[in-house]
Amino acid sequence: MEKPPLPNDDYTAVTPETQLGSLAGEDSQEGVVEPPARDGWDSKVEYFLAQVGFSVGLGNVWRFPYLCHQNGGGAFLLLYVLLMILVGIPLFFLELAAGQSIRQGSIGVWKHISPKLAGIGYSSCVVCFFVALYYNVIISWSLFYLGNSFQYPLPWQECPEYGNITVKECVASSPTTYFWFRKALNITDSISETGEFNPVITCCLLAAWTIVCLGMFKGIKSSAKVMYFSSVFPYVVLLCFLIRGLMLEGAAEGIKYMFYPKLEIWGEVQVWRQAATQVFFALGLGFGSVIAYSSYNPRSNNCHRDALTVSTINFLTSVLATLVVFAVLGFRAREVALRCVTHNLEKLSEQFSVGPLDRDLLPVINISDPSSDPLEAYRDWFKVHGAKVPGNLTDCSLENEMNKGVEGTGLAFIAFTEAMTLFPGSPFWSALFFLMLLNLGLSTMFGTMEGILTPLTDNFKVLKRHKTILTVCSCIIGFLIGMLFTQRCGNYFVMMFDDYSATLPLIIVVVFECFSVSWVYGADRFLDDIEKMLHWRPPVVYKYLWKYVCLLAMLGLLGASLLKMCFKRPTYTAWNRETASEVTLDYPDWALGVLAVLIIFATLPVPLGYIHSTLRNRARRNSIGSGLGTDMGGVYTKCSTVECDTPVAALLDEHLERNRIPKDSPSPLAEENLRLLPQREGEEDIEDSTSV
């Protein structure tokens, strides 16, 4: 016998105590006490902005452009779209539909499918907490740079001087690089050198957690209001930067270089892994935040349309951010190349003034002539005469500058920041950019925190009654633990958490999610529930995508990630103060131990939840008596319908058959028990019989 379908009440909260015993709707009988109504969105616009704000984050701005640049440009875009359609959208739709139908957070959703799967929800909460710890540190960096943007010239525009001597570390690198590593982070040479706390960044972290706490103070009622600004403002800034960037010299070369397709990369496994990982994180799969947000929707909401719309907006935002980034970086690369040409021409002039060299070798290039292209003229000259001239001149290639791909903090706080110093009115553009990063980070943080708070308050009545205290305490704990990242070596821990604390656990979580819905609960039954909820049936192709394509794709991504970790020792990028350059170092043994603990701690709830439920069932079975009442757990409530098409009826039939009692017997016990259904407390006793 199958389990009862998912609840079908539009606005009724489905608590663990009522998931099986209180199926509301048209079949509800008089006298059945309705559970209290669940909070909901004030409007569809609030919900939509919240989902878009959570899925569109910092990764769209500083991760996607780098991957697109490094993995074939236009070819990577095609691969990304393919994986988005086959894997991303179906899984996103799955989470939206599950949350909206069951109207619970991640813990309640998977516990409803089977109590043995409750650990999936707890793993999602743990990963959300890990991500919140370091994500808010990035927001604090944005606050630091935003505060330093209101001065002219910008503090990272020129190298500082002490006693008329320019700082050597700055001269050997660049003003923006020096400001980031020395002024903002004051970073150590390795993760093993801890150093003292950075007081300025610590204060910025406190401010960041305060903003998050105020935004989450009243749950979605307060955070949704903030979303009106934090979700919309980044698009205004991106459009402003796109218009300004397209007006810059070199922007066309940057965009052309970006989108030039290299189809041969489709044969590389690494590219497929990176594309799948980006799809996975871009939509926020596995965090539980998508489920939490959708659980506040009325059940009549068209979650299928939401899945298509949010996914499309997410992709278009990534493309828009990529256009902006490479228009600006193309301008920056051209400026760097022009400085290179000017420097080489000065060296040539010095050599010709002191040595007997052929004057015909000297290039005739007017850097200030707007009608000529000095870069092209210099490169043409260099191809013919470069080898004949002493002095180790370089070709000042624009492509070489564009090939120096940067991602993450390197893109936001170094490369893009350097480009903005070349803009007229640079403080204005700098403040606009870092205010955009701040809002992108906050909208994602709100969703991440909701992925923690909603499941806990849904499953623990004490926490639900004191949700405000839970929110404040969570932010305080997050700040205290987050001080780990405000040490001088804190940036290395941010990279560690970003690379390892979330990726592997989240992939495992999504594998179990997909398996639970498509195989344990049943893809056909899940589509039936969606049909009852939306009053139309989604295409049957989702059944096969969930059961085979998505599951195999996630297993492949899990295997590729594990193989990479096993066959290549984890490394991190460190800043060497003496050479003023970045170096790649292996994580020390103790750091590998921390990595292992993070991954194990995040994934441990899944097996623990299964073991706990199994042992609990076994212990209860050992205490089963010979009577039917003890077989069923001893606590009953009447069904909302005359005929109970549930596993309980199957057990009753089995009991009657075992005791050779006719099913049509007038026995009061048989007639009464045919109308009984165990409450939630007895669900786990019969769980093995209810699982598919």
Side-chain angles (χ1 to χ4, degrees), residues 168-233:
K168 179 181 177 182
E169 184 181 4
C170 182
V171 174
S173 54
S174 70
T176 52
T177 304
Y178 173 81
F179 186 87
W180 167 243
F181 285 113
R182 192 55 51 211
K183 294 295 184 180
L185 302 179
N186 194 21
I187 200 166
T188 57
D189 287 349
S190 72
I191 195 173
S192 299
E193 303 174 34
T194 56
E196 65 277 4
F197 288 101
N198 188 324
V200 178
I201 298 299
T202 302
C203 292
C204 291
L205 180 62
L206 177 60
W209 274 111
T210 302
I211 295 172
V212 171
C213 186
L214 293 175
M216 297 292 300
F217 193 74
K218 293 184 179 180
I220 62 170
K221 295 298 183 182
S222 57
S223 63
K225 307 306 178 186
V226 182
M227 291 293 181
Y228 279 104
F229 180 78
S230 63
S231 294
V232 175
F233 180 73

Side-chain angles (χ1 to χ4, degrees), residues 422-637:
L422 305 173
F423 287 8
S426 54
F428 168 77
W429 293 104
S430 178
L432 207 60
F433 176 72
F434 290 111
L435 189 58
M436 178 191 71
L437 291 187
L438 175 63
N439 282 276
L440 283 173
L442 285 176
S443 59
T444 302
M445 267 298 297
F446 291 147
T448 304
M449 292 298 294
E450 202 65 52
I452 301 172
L453 301 176
T454 297
L456 294 178
T457 53
D458 282 344
N459 285 269
F460 299 98
K461 292 183 178 179
V462 175
L463 297 180
K464 188 177 185 66
R465 289 195 298 266
H466 304 90
K467 187 172 182 178
T468 301
I469 297 177
L470 174 64
T471 302
V472 174
C473 290
S474 299
C475 293
I476 292 174
I477 294 173
F479 167 70
L480 294 177
I481 300 178
M483 290 181 67
L484 166 71
F485 306 104
T486 64
Q487 301 177 94
R488 291 182 59 194
C489 64
N491 184 49
Y492 303 136
F493 284 98
V494 170
M495 289 190 289
M496 176 193 293
F497 272 67
D498 188 31
D499 292 337
Y500 298 101
S501 71
T503 304
L504 207 60
L506 281 180
I507 295 174
I508 294 174
V509 165
V510 175
V511 167
F512 277 101
E513 286 183 4
C514 192
F515 178 78
S516 301
V517 170
S518 58
W519 291 97
V520 176
Y521 188 80
D524 286 320
R525 292 178 56 211
F526 190 62
L527 288 174
D528 290 341
D529 295 328
I530 296 175
E531 183 178 7
K532 293 177 183 177
M533 183 171 64
L534 304 182
H535 306 296
W536 62 272
R537 191 174 185 85
V540 71
V541 67
Y542 281 108
K543 169 184 174 181
Y544 300 101
L545 289 175
W546 289 331
K547 294 185 70 172
Y548 304 107
V549 178
C550 294
L551 188 57
L552 291 177
M554 297 312 300
L555 288 173
L557 180 59
L558 177 62
S561 301
L562 286 173
L563 288 175
K564 181 186 176 184
M565 292 184 62
C566 293
F567 289 100
K568 183 180 179 182
R569 185 183 178 95
T571 59
Y572 68 101
T573 302
W575 176 255
N576 187 291
R577 185 168 190 167
E578 294 298 323
T579 61
S581 62
E582 292 183 321
V583 293
T584 301
L585 302 177
D586 292 333
Y587 278 110
D589 292 338
W590 66 266
L592 294 179
V594 173
L595 291 180
V597 170
L598 290 175
I599 295 173
I600 292 173
F601 193 75
T603 55
L604 200 57
V606 176
L608 284 182
Y610 184 89
I611 294 171
H612 174 264
S613 180
T614 302
L615 293 178
R616 190 174 178 182
N617 291 341
R618 188 170 300 172
R620 289 184 176 182
R621 288 195 184 93
N622 291 336
S623 62
I624 290 178
S626 58
L628 181 61
T630 55
D631 286 342
M632 297 300 179
V635 182
Y636 299 89
T637 184

Side-chain angles (χ1 to χ4, degrees), residues 54 66 87 103 138 195 198 278-279 282 290 347 422 430 434 445 454 496 513 645 655:
F54 171 68
Y66 169 79
V87 180
R103 310 206 68 203
I138 299 174
N198 188 324
Q278 181 60 23
V279 168
V290 174
K347 289 177 63 177
L422 305 173
S430 178
F434 290 111
M445 267 298 297
T454 297
M496 176 193 293
E513 286 183 4
D645 185 17
H655 170 80

Side-chain angles (χ1 to χ4, degrees), residues 34-47:
E34 295 282 346
R38 182 179 181 81
D39 287 340
W41 302 99
D42 290 340
S43 68
K44 179 63 179 287
V45 174
E46 289 185 357
Y47 163 71

Side-chain angles (χ1 to χ4, degrees), residues 267-500:
E268 301 178 14
V269 177
Q270 177 73 1
V271 176
W272 285 80
R273 186 187 69 82
Q274 291 183 338
T277 304
Q278 181 60 23
V279 168
F280 180 80
F281 280 102
L283 295 176
L285 300 174
F287 284 90
S289 304
V290 174
I291 295 176
Y293 276 155
S294 64
S295 71
Y296 295 107
N297 272 332
R299 297 188 73 249
S300 59
N301 176 64
N302 192 339
C303 56
H304 182 260
R305 182 176 58 196
D306 293 343
L308 296 176
T309 306
V310 173
S311 300
T312 302
I313 291 177
N314 189 292
F315 170 70
L316 294 178
T317 304
S318 298
V319 175
L320 174 62
T322 301
L323 288 172
V324 171
V325 166
F326 277 88
V328 174
L329 292 186
F331 164 69
R332 170 180 172 268
R334 181 178 177 82
E335 292 296 316
V336 172
L338 285 175
R339 288 200 298 266
C340 172
V341 171
T342 303
H343 177 70
N344 286 350
L345 290 179
E346 291 175 353
K347 289 177 63 177
L348 282 172
S349 299
E350 292 176 1
Q351 291 175 6
F352 276 101
S353 63
V354 297
L357 296 176
D358 187 357
R359 304 292 299 182
D360 293 334
L361 295 178
L362 185 65
V364 181
I365 300 174
N366 187 358
I367 298 291
S368 60
D369 185 6
S371 62
S372 64
D373 187 352
L375 280 179
E376 191 66 28
Y378 175 82
R379 293 200 66 187
D380 291 340
W381 171 86
F382 186 83
K383 290 177 183 178
V384 179
H385 304 292
K388 303 176 184 178
V389 179
N392 295 322
L393 301 181
T394 58
D395 64 348
C396 300
S397 171
L398 184 66
E399 289 77 10
N400 288 342
E401 289 298 325
M402 292 298 300
N403 275 330
K404 297 177 181 178
V406 287
E407 65 170 324
T409 54
L411 173 63
F413 298 107
I414 298 178
F416 211 89
T417 304
E418 179 182 345
M420 287 187 296
T421 60
L422 305 173
F423 287 8
S426 54
F428 168 77
W429 293 104
S430 178
L432 207 60
F433 176 72
F434 290 111
L435 189 58
M436 178 191 71
L437 291 187
L438 175 63
N439 282 276
L440 283 173
L442 285 176
S443 59
T444 302
M445 267 298 297
F446 291 147
T448 304
M449 292 298 294
E450 202 65 52
I452 301 172
L453 301 176
T454 297
L456 294 178
T457 53
D458 282 344
N459 285 269
F460 299 98
K461 292 183 178 179
V462 175
L463 297 180
K464 188 177 185 66
R465 289 195 298 266
H466 304 90
K467 187 172 182 178
T468 301
I469 297 177
L470 174 64
T471 302
V472 174
C473 290
S474 299
C475 293
I476 292 174
I477 294 173
F479 167 70
L480 294 177
I481 300 178
M483 290 181 67
L484 166 71
F485 306 104
T486 64
Q487 301 177 94
R488 291 182 59 194
C489 64
N491 184 49
Y492 303 136
F493 284 98
V494 170
M495 289 190 289
M496 176 193 293
F497 272 67
D498 188 31
D499 292 337
Y500 298 101

